[in-house]
């Protein structure tokens, strides 16, 4: 495969956000980390894991309707082996949202019993929701507030809590805390940045789209060659050892994306491949294995 493109962020508010989340952890009982089911590793923020440490945690594998179901099951087993409960969510339909409450209660079972022994029956469970940009955090919170339906949530101010903290009362006896700001890691591993770029979590303007589409095609040929061939009516084989750029050219030619002189418009072919992958037109695809 070609060279991964290195992507790095050095946001000034990183330290501030980090401090804020550390402070807010004292106010909650459990953390819900939202990941992209297609790239669970790359969409998990190592900085967050570092801050959360021993706090009880639940993993929400969002966009699972776009991911390979067999791989999602493998990821759930992987998290279980780490002692973490993971549940799949479908971003478009909201399917899986109802599993959230019982899953949280299961993780906090002993804590809830301890509260009841102290006479704190019905004490609300407070959940902090974390996730990197474009992973579906806001739409998850909105769905929870609206009882699983899509739509926009009203922000509520709570006395004694700073204004940047957004608390929402959801379900029966649950309160969600939306985390402030954005925590991008500085990507030590260029593959992480690249996987985020494939799914559209990172804006394309800062990347070379042809290079990105070529890399994506190489990865898809390793993991899902049939999906590529059936979508583009090609007969690529791994044995042929075609480079991503050659795959891109052939797809462009097949789709008639030619410019004067019969050359392939690879830029147009690249945006087609990226759009079709992101739009789920190549099927349900998971780019990372546990």
């Amino acid at each position: 495969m070609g060279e991964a493109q290195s992507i790095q962020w050095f946001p000034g508010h990183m330290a501030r956000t980090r401090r804020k989340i550390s402070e807010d952890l004292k106010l909650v009982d459990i953390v819900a980390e939202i990941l992209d089911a297609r790239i669970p590793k790359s969409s998990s923020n190592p900085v967050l894991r570092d801050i959360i440490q021993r706090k009880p945690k639940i993993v929400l594998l969002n966009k699972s309707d776009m991911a390979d179901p067999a791989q999602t099951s493998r990821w759930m087993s992987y998290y279980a082996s780490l002692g973490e409960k993971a549940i799949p969510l479908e971003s478009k339909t909201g399917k899986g949202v109802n599993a959230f409450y019982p899953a949280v209660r299961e993780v906090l079972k002993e804590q809830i019993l301890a509260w009841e022994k102290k006479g704190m029956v019905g004490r609300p469970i407070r959940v902090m929701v974390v996730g990197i940009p474009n992973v579906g955090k806001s739409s998850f919170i909105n769905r929870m507030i609206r009882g699983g339906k899509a739509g926009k949530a009203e922000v509520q101010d709570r006395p004694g809590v700073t204004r940047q903290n957004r608390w929402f009362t959801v379900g029966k006896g649950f309160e969600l805390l939306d985390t402030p700001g954005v925590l991008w890691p500085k990507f030590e591993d260029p593959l992480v940045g690249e996987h985020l770029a494939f799914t559209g979590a990172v804006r394309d303007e800062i990347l070379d789209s042809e290079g990105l589409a070529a890399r994506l095609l190489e990865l898809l040929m390793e993991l899902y060659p049939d999906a590529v061939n059936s979508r583009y009516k090609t007969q690529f084989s791994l044995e042929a050892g075609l480079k991503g750029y050659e795959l891109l050219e052939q797809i462009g030619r097949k789709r008639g994306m030619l410019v004067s002189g019969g050359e392939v418009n690879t830029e147009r072919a690249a945006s087609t491949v990226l759009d079709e992958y992101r739009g789920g037109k190549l099927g349900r695809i998971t780019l990372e294995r546990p």
Side-chain angles (χ1 to χ4, degrees):
M1 283 173 78
E3 275 302 299
Q5 300 176 46
S6 185
I7 302 170
Q8 297 187 343
W9 278 262
F10 303 97
H13 65 272
M14 184 93 159
R16 199 166 63 243
T17 306
R18 205 182 167 133
R19 199 164 54 241
K20 185 89 188 70
I21 290 177
S22 302
E23 284 165 15
D24 289 350
L25 270 177
K26 301 182 187 86
L27 310 174
V28 300
D29 308 306
I30 186 169
V31 174
E33 184 181 18
I34 303 189
L35 304 179
D36 184 327
R38 299 166 297 174
I39 50 165
K41 179 176 173 285
S42 293
S43 57
S44 175
N45 193 319
V47 178
L48 281 175
R49 291 201 155 233
D50 194 35
I51 300 170
I52 295 161
Q53 288 184 351
R54 285 183 298 279
K55 188 66 87 171
K57 181 156 155 288
I58 184 167
V59 174
L60 307 176
L61 293 167
N62 196 23
K63 307 187 184 182
S64 65
D65 40 339
M66 300 170 82
D68 179 339
Q71 294 306 325
T72 300
S73 295
R74 285 187 63 197
W75 276 106
M76 287 164 72
S77 308
Y78 166 76
Y79 287 112
S81 75
L82 299 180
E84 292 178 12
K85 174 92 180 151
I87 55 174
L89 290 181
E90 291 193 5
S91 46
K92 292 192 183 84
T93 61
K95 193 174 161 203
V97 162
N98 294 340
F100 176 72
Y101 298 121
V104 169
R105 284 201 177 93
E106 188 190 318
V107 175
L108 291 177
K109 200 163 54 194
E110 287 171 19
Q111 182 62 66
I112 293 168
L113 280 172
W115 290 336
E116 285 170 356
K117 277 195 181 127
K118 289 181 185 160
M120 296 157 73
V121 178
R123 174 199 181 285
I125 294 171
R126 299 191 176 102
V127 187
M128 178 191 282
V129 186
V130 298
I132 63 167
N134 298 328
V135 82
K137 185 163 69 91
S138 311
S139 53
F140 167 72
I141 291 175
N142 285 329
R143 274 195 191 279
M144 297 307 287
I145 293 164
R146 299 173 63 88
K149 298 181 191 72
K152 196 80 193 101
E154 289 302 308
V155 179
Q156 101 189 35
D157 276 329
R158 285 264 304 270
V161 176
T162 57
R163 282 188 72 86
Q164 334 58 313
N165 274 1
R166 293 161 22 118
W167 282 97
F168 303 99
T169 301
V170 298
K172 201 168 175 328
F174 274 81
E175 292 178 359
L176 296 186
L177 173 60
D178 189 6
T179 39
V182 159
L183 271 182
W184 273 114
K186 167 177 170 282
F187 301 123
E188 302 299 341
D189 178 356
L191 279 179
V192 168
E194 197 169 73
H195 286 179
L196 288 165
F198 290 153
T199 59
V202 177
R203 287 208 323 280
D204 285 351
E205 294 89 276
I206 60 170
L207 297 159
D208 153 31
S209 67
E210 288 155 279
L212 195 64
R215 295 269 301 156
L216 175 62
L217 284 168
E218 287 177 3
L219 184 57
L220 291 174
M221 281 306 296
E222 265 175 49
L223 303 174
Y224 298 92
D226 296 347
V228 175
N229 285 324
S230 107
R231 178 71 194 166
Y232 298 109
K233 304 185 175 42
T234 46
Q235 289 173 335
F236 300 140
S237 76
L238 262 182
E239 291 67 50
L242 287 174
K243 291 274 179 282
Y245 203 77
E246 297 167 297
L247 298 170
L248 191 61
E249 278 199 306
Q250 290 199 30
I251 287 170
R253 195 168 292 286
K254 203 86 176 157
R255 288 270 175 107
M257 296 173 174
L258 305 177
V259 288
S260 57
E263 274 195 25
V264 177
N265 182 343
T266 45
E267 207 171 309
R268 205 175 135 207
S271 68
T272 297
V273 167
L274 291 169
D275 288 348
E276 293 191 350
Y277 161 67
R278 290 169 189 163
K281 302 242 170 69
L282 282 97
R284 297 176 68 173
I285 285 174
T286 298
L287 297 177
E288 293 176 340
R289 304 290 189 255

